Amino acid sequence: MRSCVGSIERRLQAMLLTAAATIALSAHADNPVPVAAFFSQPEIGEVRLSPSGKYLALTVPTKEGRLALAVVDTELSKPPVVVASDRRIDIRWFEWVNDDWLVYDLIDLQRGGGDQNFGAGLFSVRRDGSGARVLIHSGADTTQMTALSWTHGLLSVPRNGGTEVIVGEYHRDNLREVINVTPKRVDVTNGRVTSAVLGYPNFTTGWVFDRDGDARVAVAQHDGVTEFFWHPKGQGDWRSLMRARYLEVPWGPVAVDVADTLYVTRRSADSTSVLTRFDFKTGAPEAEPIASAPGFDFRGEPLMWSGKVVGVRLWTDAETSIWFDPHRKALQELADKRFPGRVNQIDCGECVGDAVVLVHSYSDRAPGDFWIYREKTGEWATVGSVRSAIDPRRMGTLDLHRIKARDGEDLPVWVTMPQQKATGPLPAVVLVHGGPWLRGTDWQWDANAQFLASRGYVVIQPEFRGSRGFGFDHFRKGWKNWGTTMQDDVADAARWAASKGIVDPKRICIAGGSYGGYATLMGAIRYPDLYRCGIAYVAVTDPRLMFANSWQNDSNREMREFSTPLLVGDPVKDAELLKAAAPVERAGEIRIPILMAFGRDDRRVPIEHGTQMRAAMRATGHEPEWIVYEGEGHGWLKTENQVDFWDRVETFLAKQLH
């Protein structure tokens, strides 16, 4: 087997930003790896194979530092073509509609997240760069008012080889909250708009479409109730399949195939979710699962081609693909043999005959590389690396541990160990995920954790109760437990690591953003002898502010009136619980050094959380280190702010833990 490694990469080289090479050189020349290597924009954002496997589309940096959309022939018969680029804006996301057309949207990566003064829009272009058209105007260009307004957004790209995409018009009430989403068909070649569905149920804000773009499942939510409706292919009225209180929904729709099979996830006997089919005769999901991952909720999707399920992608600790199609299964085995010890995500389009295969290969230590494999010749060609400045040999190793909390409950804990030869226990950072009602991480390269590990810290990431992904029971046990058992789980994870001799119990810092920032402050309050310092960014400091209805708060009515009272606490019935769970009420109990950072324009956790907490701590004579990033929202979008923040974190940790 001969290799042509580098052939595509050489053709793309002229298009890649030269700064990436500078970062790469400094990363190897200096010790440690520069902050910018972790937090600069990736050299390749996304790579997608066209349906036939003949073309690649990918986002690449331009000389102006913007992300452009380029297309290259996988046969290498022509040089790459930049099909969409603008000095003022970046390509955020794109997808093939068919082998000739792509759609994409926009973002301004040189502005903060709270300073995006236009919508993402939606645009179409031929793979040769011709025929560019505005489908949904972003507001950045007011000359394109013939396109659909910014109140629309993309819902689905049908997989039938046609020229239409499905967009939704978002209808809002007088409080600017979405109450209905109306699907429409838009032809990407001429912008023609037609109706996609008629007579759908009220309060429908979620949809499941089939390969032809036909709406098959409508998800309606109102007054804390969720209802699923089914529409037979091309006929009949909408039929209710399930109605339940929001957090008591027993199953959820996932996809519909060409045989009209509805795939759903349902709760199993051990409280984890599994993938199965819906039985229309019984009106319930089938008992026999198609895919399950013991100890984990099913998170993934049926892998379809031409509307037929050819495999399943799911996550346990790591992503895995299970193929029912023998050809794809053989190609997966080939990729796994070529890149052992990694997750290798394959795409071969039609995957017939001598396939052209796109392989995205990554691991806990490697941000990712893209390769092309040509089945006919057995040749491998590299498309490029996501972050060439990152040397996997210098990154930490990530493992998932299952430990017991103090009350015997199962507690999953991720641990990233630095790549160094130091002996004895190491200083540690307990990095608490946000949400909190989500899964914290997966077995993959994570910039935050790997940056901290590169500085010599063990990184402990607990999946405390309330986290998703480990069964409904684990999720349910976090309800109304902010600052109590959820906080105890975080402390138990730190103490477990210390008991194993992994970390120095006298050199542990707690850190996190959003809910993780909240947990940082409550950790300092409840466990002052466990943590030496705390880093809280975009942190919730008063859960009672989550019920505020104002232009500053992006939560909707369903969250404020139904889900948040159940998950966190009712503002009236649980007033004392919420007061006790508010760090701003207990600022006088904080004795350790705290670093706090906020985005000026954050609408998820408005800066009021930060200013009130800072004032409360100042009144006790224990003012925190304080950072505000102008124009940023819930997290930092601008590279310069990312680098500045983590530079400050590095300095703060070095001062407190060494």
Side-chain angles (χ1 to χ4, degrees):
M1 179 185 299
R2 68 185 181 88
S3 173
C4 62
V5 171
S7 55
I8 293 180
E9 189 175 43
R10 284 193 297 273
R11 289 183 177 271
L12 291 170
Q13 189 174 16
M15 299 162 56
L16 296 178
L17 198 61
T18 54
T22 303
I23 294 174
L25 289 173
S26 61
H28 289 82
D30 299 337
N31 191 21
V33 182
V35 182
F38 295 88
F39 300 105
S40 295
Q41 292 299 324
E43 293 153 53
I44 296 179
E46 295 287 344
V47 182
R48 300 191 193 281
L49 192 68
S50 71
S52 69
K54 294 180 179 179
Y55 308 100
L56 283 180
L58 63 163
T59 48
V60 294
T62 66
K63 293 179 181 179
E64 294 80 20
R66 294 295 189 177
L67 283 180
L69 178 60
V71 174
V72 61
D73 186 337
T74 57
E75 293 289 341
L76 304 181
S77 59
K78 296 180 181 179
V81 175
V82 173
V83 300
S85 178
D86 193 308
R87 297 186 180 201
R88 304 164 298 171
I89 214 73
D90 302 274
I91 308 298
R92 183 180 73 164
W93 170 94
F94 67 90
E95 184 59 272
W96 290 97
V97 179
N98 54 43
D99 248 34
D100 293 319
W101 286 88
L102 299 106
V103 289
Y104 63 93
D105 64 16
L106 304 173
I107 192 171
D108 188 347
L109 294 174
Q110 294 182 13
R111 288 179 178 268
D115 194 25
Q116 299 293 310
N117 58 0
F118 55 87
L122 186 68
F123 307 82
S124 61
V125 66
R126 283 185 181 272
R127 58 176 166 79
D128 62 1
S130 66
R133 178 174 292 275
V134 181
L135 304 177
I136 299 174
H137 74 74
S138 64
D141 186 353
T142 55
T143 66
Q144 299 292 339
M145 300 308 287
T146 56
L148 290 171
S149 73
W150 63 270
T151 59
H152 294 74
L154 183 68
L155 297 180
S156 177
V157 178
R159 298 302 180 187
N160 59 358
T163 60
E164 292 182 326
V165 296
I166 309 300
V167 304
E169 181 177 8
Y170 291 77
H171 303 279
R172 300 174 184 269
D173 61 15
N174 57 1
L175 295 177
R176 306 293 298 161
E177 295 186 357
V178 176
I179 55 174
N180 275 304
V181 178
T182 301
K184 300 177 180 179
R185 292 181 178 272
V186 181
D187 192 309
V188 300
T189 67
N190 56 29
R192 183 172 61 92
V193 179
T194 56
S195 176
V197 62
L198 297 173
Y200 62 85
N202 286 333
F203 305 111
T204 294
T205 55
W207 295 92
V208 177
F209 301 90
D210 62 19
R211 68 182 290 270
D212 295 319
D214 291 333
R216 310 305 306 282
V217 178
V219 180
Q221 287 188 317
H222 186 62
D223 288 344
V225 173
T226 297
E227 190 166 8
F228 301 143
F229 295 87
W230 169 258
H231 193 273
K233 183 76 170 178
Q235 61 178 335
D237 297 324
W238 288 94
R239 166 189 168 191
S240 178
L241 298 181
M242 191 284 309
R243 178 182 171 88
R245 301 296 298 178
Y246 170 55
L247 292 171
E248 298 171 1
V249 174
W251 59 269
V254 177
V256 179
D257 68 13
V258 291
D260 257 10
T261 304
L262 172 60
Y263 295 86
V264 302
T265 55
R266 65 160 178 81
R267 209 174 303 158
S268 64
D270 69 351
S271 92
T272 59
S273 63
V274 300
L275 180 70
T276 188
R277 302 175 184 87
F278 188 82
D279 187 336
F280 287 96
K281 293 180 180 179
T282 64
E286 293 180 356
E288 186 66 24
I290 298 171
S292 62
F296 300 89
D297 286 320
F298 176 85
R299 181 167 65 95
E301 59 183 339
L303 297 167
M304 293 190 181
W305 189 258
S306 297
K308 298 179 181 179
V309 175
V310 294
V312 175
R313 179 168 294 136
L314 57 85
W315 277 256
T316 53
D317 55 340
E319 175 189 345
T320 187
S321 297
I322 302 170
W323 296 104
F324 309 141
D325 171 58
H327 191 190
R328 289 176 170 83
K329 182 178 180 180
L331 291 170
Q332 181 72 60
E333 292 171 351
L334 189 68
D336 291 342
K337 183 177 180 180
R338 173 84 180 193
F339 307 110
R342 287 188 170 210
V343 172
N344 301 302
Q345 189 182 105
I346 70 166
D347 180 9
C348 53
E350 295 175 355
C351 209
V352 295
D354 295 316
V356 175
V357 187
L358 174 66
V359 180
H360 178 204
S361 180
Y362 68 90
S363 73
D364 56 337
R365 302 172 67 187
D369 307 287
F370 291 94
W371 292 77
I372 283 289
Y373 172 69
R374 200 174 309 284
E375 194 174 18
K376 184 177 181 179
T377 61
E379 295 175 333
W380 288 89
T382 179
V383 178
S385 296
V386 175
R387 294 183 180 275
S388 62
I390 297 296
D391 182 352
R393 295 170 297 181
R394 303 185 69 185
M395 295 294 103
T397 56
L398 176 65
D399 288 294
L400 179 63
H401 301 263
R402 297 273 191 167
I403 71 171
K404 293 295 182 182
R406 66 188 66 184
D407 58 0
E409 290 295 325
D410 184 58
L411 177 57
V413 179
W414 300 91
V415 177
T416 303
M417 293 296 298
Q419 282 294 319
Q420 61 180 44
K421 297 181 180 180
T423 58
L426 297 172
V429 176
V430 180
L431 190 59
V432 188
H433 71 71
W437 322 112
L438 47 75
R439 175 166 159 168
T441 193
D442 300 308
W443 190 81
Q444 60 182 342
W445 187 86
D446 175 78
N448 295 355
Q450 288 291 352
F451 169 72
L452 293 170
S454 76
R455 271 48 184 173
Y457 302 106
V458 176
V459 182
I460 303 164
Q461 295 172 275
E463 299 281 7
F464 46 85
R465 67 195 75 188
S467 301
R468 295 271 198 173
F470 302 92
F472 184 80
D473 289 349
H474 189 71
F475 165 54
R476 174 67 180 81
K477 288 170 182 173
W479 296 7
K480 295 189 180 182
N481 277 312
W482 281 43
T484 55
T485 53
M486 293 170 72
Q487 198 69 48
D488 294 341
D489 285 349
V490 175
D492 288 351
R495 286 173 170 166
W496 165 81
S499 72
K500 296 297 181 181
I502 299 173
V503 306
D504 182 346
K506 296 182 179 180
R507 292 191 294 164
I508 302 175
C509 187
I510 183 170
S514 196
Y515 173 83
Y518 167 87
T520 294
L521 298 172
M522 283 304 292
I525 292 167
R526 292 202 55 208
Y527 294 97
D529 297 328
L530 178 60
Y531 305 114
R532 283 268 295 273
C533 59
I535 302 166
Y537 46 103
V538 294
V540 175
T541 68
D542 188 347
R544 295 168 297 189
L545 293 177
M546 296 166 67
F547 299 95
N549 177 21
S550 76
W551 66 270
Q552 291 181 307
N553 192 333
D554 68 357
S555 65
N556 60 31
R557 173 177 170 268
E558 294 293 315
M559 292 174 62
R560 293 191 304 271
E561 295 186 11
F562 300 102
S563 63
T564 303
L566 189 60
L567 293 169
V568 184
D570 186 281
V572 177
K573 298 177 183 177
D574 301 310
E576 289 303 312
L577 180 150
L578 291 173
K579 181 178 180 180
V584 72
E585 294 280 358
R586 304 175 63 177
E589 299 177 56
I590 296 178
R591 292 289 180 265
I592 63 175
I594 298 290
L595 171 66
M596 294 181 66
F598 283 84
R600 176 73 69 185
D601 299 322
D602 192 344
R603 294 187 61 236
R604 181 63 48 84
V605 179
I607 196 171
E608 179 183 5
H609 283 265
T611 54
Q612 290 189 4
M613 188 70 194
R614 183 190 188 196
M617 292 181 66
R618 178 189 292 158
T620 68
H622 193 73
E623 187 167 356
E625 292 193 26
W626 176 254
I627 314 165
V628 174
Y629 290 108
E630 300 296 331
E632 291 286 13
H634 199 57
W636 332 130
L637 186 61
K638 294 175 67 174
T639 296
E640 63 191 73
N641 291 339
Q642 289 262 22
V643 172
D644 178 79
F645 174 71
W646 289 101
D647 255 334
R648 292 170 183 259
V649 167
E650 181 177 7
T651 300
F652 181 79
L653 289 173
K655 179 181 178 181
Q656 305 302 332
L657 297 184
H658 294 284

